[in-house]
Amino acid sequence: MNGAIIIGGGPAGVTAAMYTARAGVPTTLIYKNLGALEKAHVDNFYGFAKPISGKALVERGLRQARKFGVKVVRGEVVSVSEEAGVFSVKTADGVFHASAVLLATGASRRTPKIARLAELEGRGVSYCAVCDAFFYRGKNVAVLGSGAYALQEAEDLLSVAGSVTLLTNGEVPSVSFPQAVTIRTEKLQEVVGENTVQGVLLENGEAVALSGLFIAMGIAGGTELARKMGVALDPQGAVVVDSQMRTSQEGLWAAGDCTGGMKQIVKAAYQGAEAGLGMVEFIKVKR
């Protein structure tokens, strides 16, 4: 169990994975997609006289990681938990275990443009079911999303809330949801409520009464996964790390865009290197 799991296949995650693998630490890297670099054009990175697409750069990095023995898994991480020093990383297809984890999935939170959603954040609009489900015991809540991330949030709420509705905002669900979850595919027009959420208004004019709305669009980024674990975040929602990229949770590191600041490849790679070295030392002590 003295291995490392890297969540994210961009410069931060791949750099960290290469450092841990080269140090002899069994390393698994899990990524869903190529992230922000997939459609980017890179012409200011050291060593590349000619521009390179972000997609090509990430694919090169993944090949390099495999060369050093990193196990690369394509999958969507929906939650990270820890018990007795062992981390469990749950994907849509299974669970992986390790003694050290790096969050390097970027800052990928999708916030839909729905009237009054932003102003009601923290007053009925939440981004973490594990964190806030307690406050909605026996109440009617909804999850805004349509994929595995939304499914995880809905499952966390089912045992607590009075009812759970899935609002897909016009999207077709990409996974199967429990029968106990009511699915509404209409587009949303507005979040209703003065001081707290009281419901949502659909574009067809129908009102759905709710006490809480949980946002789970797209996939869970580093910030969402950190929030689920109770890790410290700064006022802007970035994961707080020290000089070695350690979070407030022992054994959990973060690197790249999810830590805030300048969103540049060179910064992500540097933070990945710091995190990888720190994870190696941490695992050596545990051994």
Side-chain angles (χ1 to χ4, degrees):
M1 201 56 64
N2 287 315
I5 292 178
I6 313 295
I7 305 173
V14 169
T15 301
M18 288 193 291
Y19 274 78
T20 54
R22 281 166 59 93
V25 174
T27 302
T28 299
L29 183 149
I30 306 172
Y31 79 106
K32 171 66 174 179
N33 53 41
L34 304 185
L37 281 174
E38 187 163 11
K39 297 181 181 179
H41 183 76
V42 181
D43 59 5
N44 64 339
F45 190 57
Y46 176 81
F48 287 83
K50 295 181 180 180
I52 184 173
S53 71
K55 180 180 179 181
L57 186 63
V58 172
E59 289 174 343
R60 284 190 186 187
L62 291 170
R63 288 197 299 270
Q64 191 176 10
R66 290 187 180 96
K67 184 184 75 172
F68 290 124
V70 176
K71 180 182 178 181
V72 177
V73 176
R74 192 77 180 260
E76 178 179 347
V77 173
V78 294
S79 69
V80 180
S81 59
E82 181 271 338
E83 185 175 354
V86 177
F87 286 88
S88 296
V89 177
K90 183 179 179 182
T91 72
D93 302 311
V95 181
F96 298 81
H97 302 284
S99 54
V101 172
L102 170 66
L103 303 178
T105 53
S108 61
R109 186 174 87 182
R110 281 177 58 192
T111 303
K113 294 181 180 179
I114 298 171
R116 307 203 63 241
L117 186 148
E119 64 184 271
L120 287 171
E121 286 186 7
R123 292 184 289 166
V125 173
S126 172
Y127 290 87
C128 180
V130 169
C131 310
D132 297 334
F134 173 84
F135 302 108
Y136 297 92
R137 288 172 296 174
K139 298 181 179 180
N140 300 327
V141 301
V143 176
L144 179 56
S146 59
Y149 179 29
L151 172 61
Q152 178 67 39
E153 294 290 273
E155 289 177 338
D156 287 339
L157 290 163
L158 275 173
S159 62
V160 180
S163 71
V164 178
T165 299
L166 179 76
L167 302 171
T168 72
N169 197 31
E171 297 185 4
V172 177
S174 60
V175 296
S176 297
F177 285 80
Q179 288 187 347
V181 176
T182 300
I183 299 177
R184 301 296 301 263
T185 60
E186 300 93 335
K187 285 201 170 187
L188 276 64
Q189 178 175 312
E190 180 182 1
V191 181
V192 179
E194 292 300 322
N195 297 317
T196 60
V197 170
Q198 295 178 326
V200 294
L201 182 66
L202 306 179
E203 279 195 346
N204 62 11
E206 181 181 352
V208 179
L210 300 167
S211 296
L213 178 62
F214 292 79
I215 313 303
M217 303 290 286
I219 64 174
T223 299
E224 288 79 19
L225 295 172
R227 184 183 283 112
K228 284 175 176 288
M229 294 198 68
V231 169
L233 305 176
D234 70 14
Q236 287 71 48
V239 183
V240 175
V241 293
D242 65 10
S243 60
Q244 283 193 316
M245 303 300 115
R246 293 176 295 196
T247 72
S248 58
Q249 165 72 53
E250 185 178 67
L252 183 69
W253 279 255
D257 289 356
C258 67
T259 64
M262 183 172 60
K263 292 177 171 58
Q264 292 290 304
I265 297 171
V266 65
K267 175 212 171 192
Y270 159 73
Q271 289 191 335
E274 285 282 9
L277 290 170
M279 295 170 80
V280 169
E281 290 304 313
F282 177 79
I283 290 170
K284 282 182 178 179
V285 171
K286 292 199 72 171
R287 284 176 175 172

